């Protein structure tokens, strides 16, 4: 190998992913095919104004220029309002074949310097060329040690296992000792049939409160491990009453997923009100949308202990979801979510 000792230096290689001060970005998997959207997840703990762009994987992260394959504000599009989010997940289209990375930047003028960049990922135009590894869970919220049911697809019959890690974990750099729980695809920690192509397994020991994901990981005798896929949304584990949306920013018409824990098993409902609403004096007529914990306005299982509800009728604005056991108004909320926004697309002055 020839080492470059005079500047400007040329890198022989660079790391799989990179972040500064907790700022990080990753994709949900390493290969996308056909018209499949690329799923991005990022953390921007300082809340600085940032944007995200797709460039070839060998792009110099300290000197980025030229046209990107695609770009978006952290709220998920080129027209949404919300360029200082501390975290989010969204899908972005990448229409050209090749090897790419997502770069997170706060520079607004070229050349740009990346604060973080993702693992490399491949895009193939012919559908089916990528192994479609897949993993999902039945809901987004659980009590400690409540069974977490996993459904998975492992099309190549790779030897795999499933690990529960913090939702912000780098899927390309997973450490065994940081796993909250794990299981083999055959159903427990000691079984030997570890190359099943599909199935359902259960995790029984997710005890610690926190926000987690389940990662589908290729078996390796050494770590760090690299995930082949992971659950799209975070899993919330709480021992007390809790309610949260799956993300902090939505587009008009997008379904708002609400995760809840109702540790006391009381009868309750959830309503969407303006984020500035008085949680001790809520009026039914001012609700933007509402549902019972069983999922709609007409279902009868109204005392469920945990689960996920989809709300379909939340319009543009800044909102919270309020958890209520009162059945006569004015209602007093037991708990409410962090603020979330719903935006329509607006033209901005950022130049590509």
């Amino acid at each position: 190998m020839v080492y470059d000792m005079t500047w400007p230096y040329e890198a022989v290689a660079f790391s799989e992913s990179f972040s500064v001060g907790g700022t990080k970005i990753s994709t949900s998997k390493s290969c996308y095919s056909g018209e499949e959207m690329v799923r991005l997840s990022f953390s921007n703990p300082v809340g600085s104004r940032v944007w995200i762009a797709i460039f070839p994987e060998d792009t110099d992260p300290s000197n980025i220029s030229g046209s990107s394959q695609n770009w978006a504000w952290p709220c998920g599009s080129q027209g949404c309002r919300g360029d200082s989010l501390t975290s989010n997940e969204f899908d972005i289209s990448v229409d050209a074949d090749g090897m790419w990375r997502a770069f997170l930047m706060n520079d607004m003028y070229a050349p740009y310097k990346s604060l973080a960049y993702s693992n490399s990922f491949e895009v193939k135009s012919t559908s089916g060329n990528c192994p479609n590894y897949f993993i999902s869970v039945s809901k987004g919220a659980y009590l400690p040690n409540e069974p977490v049911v996993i459904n998975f697809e492992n099309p190549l019959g790779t030897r795999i296992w499933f690990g529960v890690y913090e939702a912000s974990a780098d899927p390309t750099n997973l450490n065994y000792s940081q796993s909250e729980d794990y299981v083999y695809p055959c159903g427990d920690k000691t079984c030997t049939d570890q190359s099943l192509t599909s199935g359902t397994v259960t995790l029984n020991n997710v005890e610690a409160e926190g926000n987690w994901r389940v990662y589908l990981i290729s078996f390796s005798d050494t770590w760090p491990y690299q995930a082949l896929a992971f659950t799209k949304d975070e899993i919330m584990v709480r021992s007390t009453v809790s309610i949260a949306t799956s993300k902090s920013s939505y587009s008009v018409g997008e379904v708002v997923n609400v995760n809840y824990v109702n540790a006391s098993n009381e009868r309750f409902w959830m309503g969407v009100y303006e984020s500035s609403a008085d949680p001790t004096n809520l009026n039914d007529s001012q609700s933007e949308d509402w549902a019972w914990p069983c999922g709609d306005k007409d279902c009868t299982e109204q005392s469920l202990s945990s689960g996920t509800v989809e709300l379909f009728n939340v319009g543009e604005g800044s909102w919270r979801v309020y958890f209520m056991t009162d059945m006569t108004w004015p209602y007093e909320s037991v708990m409410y979510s962090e603020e979330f926004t719903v935006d329509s697309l607006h033209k901005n002055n950022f130049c590509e």
Side-chain angles (χ1 to χ4, degrees):
M1 179 181 292
V2 177
Y3 295 92
D4 193 348
M5 298 301 175
T6 57
W7 64 273
Y9 309 112
E10 181 176 354
V12 178
F14 54 91
S15 64
E16 184 60 18
S17 61
F18 175 77
S19 64
V20 173
T23 301
K24 60 180 68 175
I25 186 168
S26 62
T27 65
S28 60
K29 54 185 182 178
S30 59
C31 186
Y32 298 85
S33 57
E35 298 180 355
E36 190 177 7
M37 301 286 279
V38 175
R39 182 76 171 181
L40 298 178
S41 175
F42 73 87
S43 174
N44 173 34
V46 177
S48 55
R49 185 181 187 222
V50 296
W51 60 291
I52 296 164
I54 308 298
F55 286 94
E57 70 163 340
D58 58 355
T59 298
D60 181 354
S62 66
N63 187 27
I64 301 173
S65 60
S67 298
S68 64
Q69 174 56 220
N70 200 356
W71 71 272
W73 296 110
C75 43
S77 72
Q78 294 179 12
C80 61
R81 295 176 298 180
D83 54 14
S84 302
L85 299 180
T86 56
S87 65
N88 197 17
E89 296 179 14
F90 63 87
D91 295 328
I92 190 169
S93 63
V94 180
D95 298 329
D97 287 10
M99 297 296 297
W100 308 94
R101 293 182 193 268
F103 294 81
L104 188 150
M105 295 164 284
N106 61 0
D107 286 341
M108 298 297 158
Y109 300 96
Y112 313 111
K113 183 176 181 179
S114 177
L115 297 176
Y117 55 82
S118 74
N119 51 291
S120 59
F121 62 92
E122 186 174 9
V123 172
K124 297 182 178 182
S125 60
T126 304
S127 181
N129 282 348
C130 295
N132 190 24
Y133 296 102
F134 174 78
I135 183 171
S136 66
V137 292
S138 57
K139 58 183 183 179
Y142 299 84
L143 290 162
N145 292 321
E146 183 180 352
V148 178
V149 178
I150 303 169
N151 295 301
F152 70 91
E153 299 286 341
N154 176 29
L156 299 184
T158 306
R159 189 181 179 194
I160 58 171
W161 58 285
F162 307 104
V164 178
Y165 289 87
E166 290 184 354
S168 60
D170 181 352
T172 68
N173 187 26
L174 299 171
N175 187 325
Y176 172 78
S177 65
Q178 296 169 340
S179 173
E180 173 66 11
D181 194 15
Y182 77 95
V183 67
Y184 288 119
C186 40
D188 58 40
K189 295 178 173 64
T190 59
C191 59
T192 57
D193 195 357
Q194 300 163 5
S195 302
L196 296 177
T197 56
S198 64
T200 301
V201 295
T202 302
L203 291 156
N204 294 300
N205 300 300
V206 185
E207 181 176 9
E209 295 191 37
N211 290 350
W212 309 94
R213 293 184 198 274
V214 186
Y215 295 77
L216 188 158
I217 304 167
S218 177
F219 188 88
S220 173
D221 290 326
T222 59
W223 55 272
Y225 310 115
Q226 180 164 338
L228 300 173
F230 54 85
T231 50
K232 178 179 178 180
D233 294 319
E234 298 180 7
I235 297 169
M236 182 177 76
V237 176
R238 300 287 191 276
S239 61
T240 57
V241 171
S242 300
I243 192 163
T245 57
S246 61
K247 55 183 184 177
S248 58
S249 177
Y250 297 85
S251 298
V252 170
E254 187 176 359
V255 175
V256 176
N257 288 317
V258 182
N259 298 318
Y260 67 86
V261 170
N262 175 29
S264 62
N265 288 322
E266 288 187 79
R267 184 182 183 217
F268 83 99
W269 60 285
M270 61 193 76
V272 177
Y273 290 85
E274 290 182 354
S275 59
S276 59
D278 179 356
T280 67
N281 187 26
L282 298 169
N283 189 322
D284 181 62
S285 64
Q286 297 169 339
S287 172
E288 176 72 1
D289 197 8
W290 72 275
W292 296 108
C294 41
D296 58 42
K297 298 177 176 64
D298 301 311
C299 58
T300 57
E301 292 184 89
Q302 299 166 5
S303 302
L304 297 177
S305 60
S306 63
T308 301
V309 168
E310 295 180 332
L311 296 175
F312 296 90
N313 300 303
V314 184
E316 186 173 358
S318 296
W319 310 99
R320 297 183 193 270
V321 186
Y322 294 78
F323 182 114
M324 285 166 287
T325 56
D326 280 349
M327 298 299 157
T328 57
W329 62 273
Y331 310 111
E332 181 172 352
S333 174
V334 176
M335 170 69 66
Y336 52 84
S337 72
E338 295 290 331
E339 181 180 355
F340 69 94
T341 59
V342 177
D343 287 320
S344 59
L345 296 182
H346 294 275
K347 186 175 179 61
N348 58 60
N349 296 321
F350 184 80
C351 296
E352 294 184 68

